[in-house]
Short mmCIF file of all heavy atoms in Angstrom, two decimals:
data_model
loop_
_atom_site.label_atom_id
_atom_site.label_comp_id
_atom_site.label_asym_id
_atom_site.label_seq_id
_atom_site.Cartn_x
_atom_site.Cartn_y
_atom_site.Cartn_z
N THR Z 1791 9.63 20.38 -2.19
CA THR Z 1791 10.97 20.54 -1.60
C THR Z 1791 11.37 19.31 -0.78
O THR Z 1791 11.74 19.41 0.38
CB THR Z 1791 11.06 21.81 -0.73
OG1 THR Z 1791 10.12 21.72 0.36
CG2 THR Z 1791 10.81 23.06 -1.54
N ILE Z 1792 11.29 18.15 -1.43
CA ILE Z 1792 11.70 16.89 -0.79
C ILE Z 1792 13.22 16.83 -0.83
O ILE Z 1792 13.83 16.86 -1.91
CB ILE Z 1792 11.09 15.67 -1.51
CG1 ILE Z 1792 9.56 15.73 -1.43
CG2 ILE Z 1792 11.61 14.37 -0.89
CD1 ILE Z 1792 8.85 14.68 -2.26
N ARG Z 1793 13.84 16.75 0.31
CA ARG Z 1793 15.30 16.73 0.39
C ARG Z 1793 15.80 15.29 0.23
O ARG Z 1793 15.68 14.49 1.15
CB ARG Z 1793 15.77 17.35 1.69
CG ARG Z 1793 15.41 18.83 1.81
CD ARG Z 1793 15.82 19.41 3.16
NE ARG Z 1793 15.44 20.82 3.26
CZ ARG Z 1793 14.27 21.24 3.68
NH1 ARG Z 1793 13.35 20.37 4.04
NH2 ARG Z 1793 13.99 22.53 3.74
N THR Z 1794 16.37 14.99 -0.91
CA THR Z 1794 16.89 13.66 -1.21
C THR Z 1794 18.09 13.81 -2.14
O THR Z 1794 18.08 14.69 -3.01
CB THR Z 1794 15.81 12.77 -1.87
OG1 THR Z 1794 16.39 11.52 -2.23
CG2 THR Z 1794 15.22 13.42 -3.11
N PRO Z 1795 19.12 12.97 -1.96
CA PRO Z 1795 20.28 13.06 -2.86
C PRO Z 1795 19.92 12.82 -4.31
O PRO Z 1795 20.51 13.41 -5.21
CB PRO Z 1795 21.21 11.97 -2.33
CG PRO Z 1795 20.80 11.73 -0.93
CD PRO Z 1795 19.33 11.99 -0.90
N SER Z 1796 18.93 11.95 -4.55
CA SER Z 1796 18.51 11.66 -5.93
C SER Z 1796 17.16 10.95 -5.89
O SER Z 1796 16.70 10.52 -4.83
CB SER Z 1796 19.54 10.76 -6.63
OG SER Z 1796 19.48 9.44 -6.11
N LEU Z 1797 16.55 10.79 -7.06
CA LEU Z 1797 15.29 10.03 -7.16
C LEU Z 1797 15.51 8.56 -6.87
O LEU Z 1797 14.56 7.84 -6.57
CB LEU Z 1797 14.70 10.19 -8.56
CG LEU Z 1797 14.26 11.60 -8.97
CD1 LEU Z 1797 13.72 11.57 -10.40
CD2 LEU Z 1797 13.20 12.13 -8.02
N SER Z 1798 16.76 8.10 -6.95
CA SER Z 1798 17.07 6.69 -6.72
C SER Z 1798 17.34 6.37 -5.26
O SER Z 1798 17.57 5.21 -4.91
CB SER Z 1798 18.29 6.28 -7.56
OG SER Z 1798 18.03 6.48 -8.94
N GLN Z 1799 17.32 7.39 -4.40
CA GLN Z 1799 17.57 7.17 -2.98
C GLN Z 1799 16.46 6.34 -2.35
O GLN Z 1799 15.28 6.61 -2.55
CB GLN Z 1799 17.65 8.51 -2.26
CG GLN Z 1799 17.81 8.42 -0.74
CD GLN Z 1799 19.19 7.93 -0.34
OE1 GLN Z 1799 20.18 8.34 -0.89
NE2 GLN Z 1799 19.25 7.03 0.62
N GLU Z 1800 16.82 5.29 -1.59
CA GLU Z 1800 15.82 4.50 -0.87
C GLU Z 1800 15.12 5.39 0.15
O GLU Z 1800 15.77 6.13 0.89
CB GLU Z 1800 16.45 3.29 -0.18
CG GLU Z 1800 16.89 2.19 -1.12
CD GLU Z 1800 17.39 0.96 -0.37
OE1 GLU Z 1800 17.02 0.80 0.81
OE2 GLU Z 1800 18.16 0.19 -0.96
N VAL Z 1801 13.80 5.28 0.21
CA VAL Z 1801 13.01 6.12 1.10
C VAL Z 1801 13.36 5.89 2.56
O VAL Z 1801 13.25 6.80 3.39
CB VAL Z 1801 11.50 5.89 0.83
CG1 VAL Z 1801 10.65 6.53 1.91
CG2 VAL Z 1801 11.12 6.46 -0.52
N ALA Z 1802 13.81 4.69 2.91
CA ALA Z 1802 14.16 4.38 4.29
C ALA Z 1802 15.22 5.33 4.84
O ALA Z 1802 15.30 5.56 6.05
CB ALA Z 1802 14.66 2.94 4.40
#
Side-chain angles (χ1 to χ4, degrees):
T1791 61
I1792 299 172
R1793 296 177 181 87
T1794 176
S1796 73
L1797 296 179
S1798 300
Q1799 176 71 43
E1800 287 185 22
V1801 169

